Amino acid sequence: TDYNTLVPVLEKHRKAFGDTLEAVTADSGYCCEKNLVYLKENGIRSYIKLQDHEKRKTRAYKEDIGKYYNMTYAVFEDEHYYICHDGRELHHIRTESKEQDGYTQTIEVYGCEDCSGCEHKEKCCKCQGNRIVRVNEELTQFHKEVLSNLNSIHGALLRMNRSIQAEGAYGGIKWNRAYTRIRRRGLEGVNFEIGLISCGFNLHKYHLKRSAKKAVA
């Protein structure tokens, strides 16, 4: 998958050019905790689109009372807990670990002591017992920082440029040129074929720009 390729590409760039990028912009396929940790540790600002970026804009996302991000986050005497829509407290129960692609995620589990008699339970959860929520607090904090970057003026400009420069080129090659499959096999053959396709795309783009300038003149 895409998110396993980001760090190797950035490391290859650093070794080739001897410097570290100031910022990275990418689509949601590259958004995972492992990548965000790497960017943070190396002082690289992240403009990677969140996997649920579009979903976060919907009313259903904002009004889902069963999700921890729509509950009240509270702190009392160094204890962190959540307060649900019905005003009941969900306190910390345990910490869980999850291994994924060589990276260990830490999940904090919070639960309500008693959900009986809650008039909002059908909307909150489908479970028979009490409400339990699992929160990756480190990833949640990363998401807040990334959203702040994405929603800035500079972030909007980077997202727009990525769509035009990268996605537009792929769209032109695949759709306008009907190039949807590599015919050659082997790394050398694939590199050669992609090189020819790229040269053709660039020459065609250059020709259009030249023709437009002559028409204006």
Side-chain angles (χ1 to χ4, degrees), residues 148-184:
S148 178
N149 293 339
L150 289 172
N151 292 330
S152 66
I153 296 177
H154 184 60
L157 179 63
L158 289 179
R159 285 188 287 118
M160 180 184 67
N161 285 337
R162 182 189 65 80
S163 299
I164 296 172
Q165 295 171 1
E167 304 298 340
Y170 286 123
I173 291 172
K174 294 176 68 175
W175 182 259
N176 297 336
R177 293 287 167 231
Y179 179 73
T180 59
R181 174 178 291 185
I182 298 174
R183 271 68 177 179
R184 289 167 174 79

Side-chain angles (χ1 to χ4, degrees), residues 79-135:
E79 181 190 3
H80 301 249
Y81 60 96
Y82 291 87
I83 302 176
C84 73
H85 194 70
D86 197 55
R88 309 189 189 204
E89 298 177 357
L90 284 77
H91 292 272
H92 187 266
I93 299 175
R94 62 183 179 273
T95 300
E96 297 178 348
S97 297
K98 180 182 178 181
E99 188 79 18
Q100 185 175 14
D101 296 315
Y103 180 79
T104 302
Q105 294 180 321
T106 301
I107 310 296
E108 305 299 340
V109 182
Y110 295 82
C112 180
E113 184 177 342
D114 184 14
C115 291
S116 60
C118 177
E119 60 182 10
H120 305 289
K121 188 173 182 180
E122 288 188 2
K123 294 182 178 180
C124 182
C125 70
K126 305 299 182 181
C127 58
Q128 297 296 323
N130 299 322
R131 185 71 175 106
I132 299 290
V133 296
R134 290 173 169 80
V135 185

Side-chain angles (χ1 to χ4, degrees), residues 5 12 24 26 28 40 44 47 52 71 83 103 105 109 112 130 132 138 162 173 179 192 199 201:
T5 65
K12 187 176 181 180
V24 167
S28 59
K40 185 75 172 181
I44 304 173
Y47 293 91
D52 59 351
M71 297 180 183
I83 302 176
Y103 180 79
Q105 294 180 321
V109 182
C112 180
N130 299 322
I132 299 290
E138 184 176 36
R162 182 189 65 80
I173 291 172
Y179 179 73
F192 178 74
C199 287
F201 175 82

